[in-house]
Amino acid sequence: MNGRLKSRPEPGSVRKRYAGIAAFVVLAFAIVIGRLFQLQVINGSDYSEIAHENIIRRINLPTTRGIIRDSQGRVLASSRPAYNIYVVPGRVMPSARPARKAGRRALNRDDDSDSWPRIADVLRLSPAERTSFTTKLRDACVIDADTSPCWRTVLVREDAARDTVAEIRQHQADLSGVEIVGAPIRYYPYNNLASHLIGYVSEIDAETLGRFRPAGYDKLVQEQRQAVNPLGYELGDTIGATGIERAWETYLRGQRGWEKRVVDARGKYRTGPEAERQLDLPSRQEPIVGRDLRLTLDIALQQSIEKAMRQFPSGAVVVTEVNSGRVLASYSKPDYDPNDLAGGNGRIQLHEAFAETYSNPMKPMLDKVMSGSFQPGSTFKPFSALAALESGLVPPGNHQTCGQAIKFGDRLFRCTHAHGRVNMHEALAQSCNIYFYRLGETVGVDAIAKVAMDFGFGEKTGLAINPEAAGRVPTKAFYTQQYRGQFHLGLTLNTAIGQGATMVTPLQLALAYGALANGGTLYSPQVVTAVETNGVAVEQFPPRVRRRVTVKSEYLAQIDEALAAVVNDPKGTAYSVRDPSLEIAGKTGTAQTGYTPKAADDANMQVFYARDHAWFAAYSPIKDPEIAVVVLIEHGGSGPTQAAPVVMQIVREYQRLRGARVAAVDSARSPGRPGLLP
Amino acid sequence: MMRSLLSHDRAGAFGSPRYRFARYNFDWPLFLSVALIAVIGVINLYSATSVAKTQLQDVYIQQIYWLFVGGLVAAFVAAIDYRHYERLAYGFYLFGIVLLVLVFVLGRDIRGSSRWVSLGFFSFQPSEFMKLFLVVALAKHYHADPETGPRTLKDLIAPAAIAAVPMMLVLKQPDLGTALILALILISICSLMQIRARSLVTLLVSASVLGPVVWTYVLKDYQRQRVMSFLNPEANILGANWHAHHARVAVGSGGWFGHGFMRGTQNQYLFLPDQQTDFPFPVFAEDWGFFGSVFLVILYGFLVIWSIRVASLARDRFGSALAIGIGALIFWQALFNLGMVLGLLPVVGVTLPLFSYGGSSVLTVLIGIGLLMNVSIRRSGGVPIRASARLGAV
C-alpha cells in the first residue's frame, strides 16, 4: 500500500457548505441573466438603434451653385471643379501605430507598408511640407483607439492640380488611405469687373452658422431642422458674402442631397448585398442644383467704364435704363478680385486680399453706387428748380444778377464766376449758384425737400443687393434738431445747390435723372431679370414703377431743355467737353467735401482729399432717352472737366455696343443667311 | 514509486476491469455540457472572425486543433488516478513558478505587458497553466491539513502564501485579470474551510484598508482608468470606454432572438475589438439574442453547479478541493468575462472558458475538466471500495 495516496473522510461541516456555494453561483448567474434581460429585452430597441446608427453614415451629395450671366448670356460667376486631397494617418502610415496594434492584433492589420512616402511623391511636396506633414501624421497615431485622430482624415492638398488627381486615381489601389474630395470653387471669369454688384462667396463663419444651427440643432427632427436651416448649411459650406451672391443666395445655392452608406468602425464604406440590406429607406435624396440668374448688366459696357475710369483712383459709375430702371452697369472704384476673396487663388492670396481691402483708405469693399452717400453738389439743382416752379413763387422768366458773391446776413456766399443776369434756364446751364441761393431763399427748404423726396432721394431704392444708404434730404425740422434750434437761412441756401446736409447715392441720382428724362416715372431699380434653369427662364421680373412724380410735365420739359443746354449751349458747363455726335443732356456738379486735414494722411493725400468731388449726371439721347448715366469721381476736382468726359465716353460705347447688336440681329435676319430665324 | 505509477497506469489503460470502471462511471453530463460549450464556441468563433476575411480565417480551425489536443490531454489526465497528482502537487506548483519567472526572461511584449513564453514553434501563457497548478497545490494543502474545526488567521497564512507568490509574478507582468482569478481561486477553496468569526472580521477590515494601498501603488494607470470608466460608463465613449460601450451595444441590439448567425452588425462592421479573445460573447449575444445568451449562461451555470456536485461526492478532501478549484476557475472567468461585457464589472482581460480563442486557455480549461472528470469517476458514491483497495494494492 502506498502511504502517500491517502484518503481522508470529509468533515461533516464542509458538506453543508456546498449548498451555500451552489446558491451563490446560482445567484451570480441569475444576476447575469437579469442584466441580459435588461439590455436585450427592455432596452433592446434602443441598442438596436445605436447599432444601426453606428454603421449608417449619411454622406452629402454636393449641389452646384447657380451660374450668374449678364444680359447677353456671358458667364459672370460659375463654379469650377476642384479637388481636395485627404489622408487617413493610420492607413497611410501603419508604422506610426503603437506596438499595441502590432502585437496581439497583428492578425487584424490589413496593410503593413507605409503608402505615405509615395503619396508625398505624387503630391510633389516640398521637403519642408513633407517633414511637417510626416510629423503631423505620426503624432495623430500616438493615442491608439479606433476613434483616435489616427483614423480621421487630414487635409494635405487644397485645390489639387488635375494631373495630381489623375495620378492618384490611377494608383488608388496602391495608395491606401488617400481620399479625393470634390470641393467646387466659385469662379469669376471677369475678375474685378462689377465685383461689388456680383459679390463673392466665402466659407460660412461661425456666427452665421450659429443662426442656422442653434444649440441643440443635432437633436431636432428632420422637419424642425428644415424650419431653422432650410438650405442645410453645414460647417465649411460656402455662402454668398456680398452683392448678388449674398442677396440671391437662396436661389443660387441649391439644395444638397444625401445618400446613406454603410460604413464600418474604421470608416471604410461597405458595398454588396449584405451591406445594402442594412440600409433603411429612403436611402437617397437627389441634390437640387442652384438656379441660374440672368442680370440686366452688360459686362461689355462695364468693361468700357473700367477703361474710362482708369486714370482716377476712386469713384462710382452707374448706368440705368430710363424706361425700366434696369441697371446696365454699376461700377465702384477701387474694387477687388472676387476670385481672391472666394479662395479660388489659394489661401495666401485670400489673406492678402482681405488685408488690402481693410487697409486701403479708398474703401475697396464699399459699393459706392448704392452703399456710399455723397453731397450731390450742382447735380441737385434741377430738383431745387422744380420745387421753385411747383411753388409758383419763382416764375420762369425771373432773372437774378450774379456778381460772383452775395451776402446773406453776415456770411458771404460765392459763385464760380460772375454770370451776370441769368434766368432759370441759364442758371442751370451755366450752374450759377447765386441764382439758386435766391431761389432757395424764396422757396424754402421744405418745398425743395418735398420734390427731392418725390424723386426718391432720402430713401432706399429697394435694390438691396448691397446694404443701401438712404442718403439724406434735409428739412427744416432736421436742421432744427441738428443745430439745436439755430436754424438759419444759410442752410437753406446750401440745400438749394446740393451742399450742406444733402446726401445722395449715385444710384438714387441715376434713377431720379431717369425720371426727369422719361417724363416723371420713377422706377424701382432692377439687376436680375430672370431666374433660369438649364437656360429656360422659370421666373421673370418685369420692370416695376415706383411712382409717378407729382410735378407738372411742362415744368419737367423746361428742366430737360436746361439740361440739354448744359452740354449743347456754348455757355453750358459741359459744352467744351461735348462730343457733337452724341445727344446728351445732363448736369455737372462740383461738390465740396468739407475735408479738414488729418495728421494720419500724408501731404499728397491731404491735397487729394481737399479736392472736390466731380459729378456728372446725364441721360441720352435727348429725344426718347434710353439710359441715365451718373459718374462720380471722388476728389476729382471739377465736374465739367473730369466727370463729363467720362460720361461722353460711356455713352459713345453704349451706342457702339447697341449698334453692333442691332447689326448682328439684322445680319441674322438677312436673306443671305437663311434658316437662322423664321 | 515511478514504476508503480506506470504499472498502475498500464493497468488503467489496458486492463479490462479498469476500462469497465471508467465506462460505467463516466460523467456524461459533464462531458456533454463541456462539448456543447466547445462546439458553440467554435461556431461563434467562425462568426466572430468572419469579418477579417483573410487574416483570421483559420482561427476557428486552430481552435478545433486546440480542442482536440486539449481533449486528448484531458483524457490522459482523467485516466490517471487524481491522488497521484496530490503527491506531485508541489512539484507542479514549483514548475509553474519557474515558468512564470521565465516570462520575464523570454517574454514577448504585447500591449505593454509580457505574458507569453515563446518556444519558437509556439508560444504559451504560463499564467494560464498556473491557475491549475495553484488549484492542485491548494487542494494538497487542504488535504494535508489535519484541522477540522474553525481556522484562525494563522492557519490561513500557508494557503495565502501559496497563492501570493504566483499572484505577485502575474501582477508584475502585469496581468490584473489572471491575478484576480488566482485570488478568487484561493478564496473559493478557503470557502470549504470553517473560519473563525473573529478572523473573518479581521480579514475584511484589513482588506478594506489594503484596498486603497493597492489602488495607489499596485495598479497601473490603464487599469485604474478602466475601473474609473466602469464607474462612469457614458463619460468617455470614444476613449477608455470604447470597448465596453460597443460590447454593450452589441449585446443589447440582439433583442429577443438576435440578428442571426454572422449577421450581428457590431461585429461584422468591426465595432467589437478583440472579438475572438476577450469579446466573443457580444458576438454570440448579437447573433442569437436573449434566448441564445440565456442558454449559454445556463450551460456555464450547469457546469459550475455540476463541479460543486462532483466536489460534494468526492471521496477525499483533495478531490473536493480540486473540483471546487476547477469549478471556481470556470465560474469566476465566466462571471468576470460576462460581467465585463455586460457592464456589470470593469474591463479586465479575462477570457470566457472554451469560448475565447487561445491555445493556453483551451488547454488549461480542458485539463481542468479532465481533473474534474477524474474526481467524478472516482467519486465515493459511484466507486466501489474495491477500486480504492486496488489502487492501494498496486
PDB file of all heavy atoms in Angstrom, chain A residues 53-64:
ATOM      1  N   GLU A  53     -27.237  53.054 -36.150  1.00  0.00           N
ATOM      2  CA  GLU A  53     -26.615  54.354 -36.432  1.00  0.00           C
ATOM      3  C   GLU A  53     -25.105  54.234 -36.563  1.00  0.00           C
ATOM      4  O   GLU A  53     -24.472  54.999 -37.274  1.00  0.00           O
ATOM      5  CB  GLU A  53     -26.951  55.362 -35.324  1.00  0.00           C
ATOM      6  CG  GLU A  53     -28.335  55.957 -35.499  1.00  0.00           C
ATOM      7  CD  GLU A  53     -28.787  56.737 -34.275  1.00  0.00           C
ATOM      8  OE1 GLU A  53     -27.948  57.016 -33.397  1.00  0.00           O
ATOM      9  OE2 GLU A  53     -29.981  57.049 -34.199  1.00  0.00           O
ATOM     10  N   ASN A  54     -24.544  53.271 -35.848  1.00  0.00           N
ATOM     11  CA  ASN A  54     -23.091  53.082 -35.919  1.00  0.00           C
ATOM     12  C   ASN A  54     -22.621  52.796 -37.337  1.00  0.00           C
ATOM     13  O   ASN A  54     -21.531  53.207 -37.725  1.00  0.00           O
ATOM     14  CB  ASN A  54     -22.672  51.903 -35.027  1.00  0.00           C
ATOM     15  CG  ASN A  54     -22.489  52.323 -33.588  1.00  0.00           C
ATOM     16  OD1 ASN A  54     -22.386  53.510 -33.293  1.00  0.00           O
ATOM     17  ND2 ASN A  54     -22.441  51.362 -32.693  1.00  0.00           N
ATOM     18  N   ILE A  55     -23.430  52.062 -38.092  1.00  0.00           N
ATOM     19  CA  ILE A  55     -22.951  51.621 -39.396  1.00  0.00           C
ATOM     20  C   ILE A  55     -23.546  52.415 -40.547  1.00  0.00           C
ATOM     21  O   ILE A  55     -23.195  52.198 -41.681  1.00  0.00           O
ATOM     22  CB  ILE A  55     -23.223  50.117 -39.632  1.00  0.00           C
ATOM     23  CG1 ILE A  55     -24.724  49.828 -39.555  1.00  0.00           C
ATOM     24  CG2 ILE A  55     -22.460  49.275 -38.646  1.00  0.00           C
ATOM     25  CD1 ILE A  55     -25.083  48.488 -40.128  1.00  0.00           C
ATOM     26  N   ILE A  56     -24.475  53.317 -40.253  1.00  0.00           N
ATOM     27  CA  ILE A  56     -25.055  54.103 -41.332  1.00  0.00           C
ATOM     28  C   ILE A  56     -24.462  55.497 -41.289  1.00  0.00           C
ATOM     29  O   ILE A  56     -24.493  56.168 -40.262  1.00  0.00           O
ATOM     30  CB  ILE A  56     -26.590  54.191 -41.202  1.00  0.00           C
ATOM     31  CG1 ILE A  56     -27.213  52.804 -41.226  1.00  0.00           C
ATOM     32  CG2 ILE A  56     -27.162  55.069 -42.301  1.00  0.00           C
ATOM     33  CD1 ILE A  56     -27.035  52.057 -42.517  1.00  0.00           C
ATOM     34  N   ARG A  57     -23.907  55.900 -42.387  1.00  0.00           N
ATOM     35  CA  ARG A  57     -23.430  57.273 -42.463  1.00  0.00           C
ATOM     36  C   ARG A  57     -24.142  57.957 -43.615  1.00  0.00           C
ATOM     37  O   ARG A  57     -24.219  57.426 -44.712  1.00  0.00           O
ATOM     38  CB  ARG A  57     -21.923  57.312 -42.671  1.00  0.00           C
ATOM     39  CG  ARG A  57     -21.396  58.731 -42.665  1.00  0.00           C
ATOM     40  CD  ARG A  57     -19.913  58.766 -42.724  1.00  0.00           C
ATOM     41  NE  ARG A  57     -19.304  58.150 -41.548  1.00  0.00           N
ATOM     42  CZ  ARG A  57     -18.005  57.923 -41.443  1.00  0.00           C
ATOM     43  NH1 ARG A  57     -17.205  58.228 -42.421  1.00  0.00           N
ATOM     44  NH2 ARG A  57     -17.517  57.373 -40.355  1.00  0.00           N
ATOM     45  N   ARG A  58     -24.670  59.150 -43.313  1.00  0.00           N
ATOM     46  CA  ARG A  58     -25.312  59.912 -44.381  1.00  0.00           C
ATOM     47  C   ARG A  58     -24.262  60.796 -44.994  1.00  0.00           C
ATOM     48  O   ARG A  58     -23.758  61.704 -44.336  1.00  0.00           O
ATOM     49  CB  ARG A  58     -26.448  60.748 -43.803  1.00  0.00           C
ATOM     50  CG  ARG A  58     -27.780  60.334 -44.383  1.00  0.00           C
ATOM     51  CD  ARG A  58     -28.908  60.911 -43.638  1.00  0.00           C
ATOM     52  NE  ARG A  58     -29.018  62.349 -43.866  1.00  0.00           N
ATOM     53  CZ  ARG A  58     -30.150  63.013 -43.718  1.00  0.00           C
ATOM     54  NH1 ARG A  58     -31.233  62.392 -43.374  1.00  0.00           N
ATOM     55  NH2 ARG A  58     -30.183  64.308 -43.898  1.00  0.00           N
ATOM     56  N   ILE A  59     -23.909  60.534 -46.221  1.00  0.00           N
ATOM     57  CA  ILE A  59     -22.916  61.388 -46.853  1.00  0.00           C
ATOM     58  C   ILE A  59     -23.622  62.372 -47.760  1.00  0.00           C
ATOM     59  O   ILE A  59     -24.657  62.078 -48.344  1.00  0.00           O
ATOM     60  CB  ILE A  59     -21.851  60.598 -47.636  1.00  0.00           C
ATOM     61  CG1 ILE A  59     -22.504  59.758 -48.724  1.00  0.00           C
ATOM     62  CG2 ILE A  59     -21.035  59.730 -46.711  1.00  0.00           C
ATOM     63  CD1 ILE A  59     -21.512  59.293 -49.745  1.00  0.00           C
ATOM     64  N   ASN A  60     -23.053  63.543 -47.835  1.00  0.00           N
ATOM     65  CA  ASN A  60     -23.683  64.600 -48.613  1.00  0.00           C
ATOM     66  C   ASN A  60     -23.406  64.425 -50.091  1.00  0.00           C
ATOM     67  O   ASN A  60     -22.290  64.072 -50.477  1.00  0.00           O
ATOM     68  CB  ASN A  60     -23.147  65.955 -48.157  1.00  0.00           C
ATOM     69  CG  ASN A  60     -23.687  66.329 -46.803  1.00  0.00           C
ATOM     70  OD1 ASN A  60     -24.812  65.977 -46.476  1.00  0.00           O
ATOM     71  ND2 ASN A  60     -22.888  67.025 -46.026  1.00  0.00           N
ATOM     72  N   LEU A  61     -24.420  64.659 -50.888  1.00  0.00           N
ATOM     73  CA  LEU A  61     -24.218  64.717 -52.328  1.00  0.00           C
ATOM     74  C   LEU A  61     -24.173  66.203 -52.686  1.00  0.00           C
ATOM     75  O   LEU A  61     -25.114  66.930 -52.402  1.00  0.00           O
ATOM     76  CB  LEU A  61     -25.372  64.019 -53.057  1.00  0.00           C
ATOM     77  CG  LEU A  61     -25.553  62.552 -52.708  1.00  0.00           C
ATOM     78  CD1 LEU A  61     -26.788  62.001 -53.403  1.00  0.00           C
ATOM     79  CD2 LEU A  61     -24.325  61.756 -53.111  1.00  0.00           C
ATOM     80  N   PRO A  62     -23.078  66.636 -53.256  1.00  0.00           N
ATOM     81  CA  PRO A  62     -22.918  68.077 -53.476  1.00  0.00           C
ATOM     82  C   PRO A  62     -23.889  68.587 -54.533  1.00  0.00           C
ATOM     83  O   PRO A  62     -24.312  67.856 -55.425  1.00  0.00           O
ATOM     84  CB  PRO A  62     -21.474  68.197 -53.958  1.00  0.00           C
ATOM     85  CG  PRO A  62     -21.152  66.867 -54.539  1.00  0.00           C
ATOM     86  CD  PRO A  62     -21.946  65.856 -53.759  1.00  0.00           C
ATOM     87  N   THR A  63     -24.221  69.862 -54.416  1.00  0.00           N
ATOM     88  CA  THR A  63     -25.032  70.516 -55.424  1.00  0.00           C
ATOM     89  C   THR A  63     -24.136  71.543 -56.095  1.00  0.00           C
ATOM     90  O   THR A  63     -23.048  71.813 -55.628  1.00  0.00           O
ATOM     91  CB  THR A  63     -26.252  71.188 -54.778  1.00  0.00           C
ATOM     92  OG1 THR A  63     -26.907  71.973 -55.766  1.00  0.00           O
ATOM     93  CG2 THR A  63     -25.857  72.078 -53.636  1.00  0.00           C
ATOM     94  N   THR A  64     -24.588  72.069 -57.204  1.00  0.00           N
ATOM     95  CA  THR A  64     -23.780  73.072 -57.897  1.00  0.00           C
ATOM     96  C   THR A  64     -24.468  74.418 -57.755  1.00  0.00           C
ATOM     97  O   THR A  64     -25.673  74.537 -57.970  1.00  0.00           O
ATOM     98  CB  THR A  64     -23.650  72.729 -59.389  1.00  0.00           C
ATOM     99  OG1 THR A  64     -23.551  71.328 -59.509  1.00  0.00           O
ATOM    100  CG2 THR A  64     -22.442  73.382 -59.992  1.00  0.00           C
TER     101      THR A  64
END
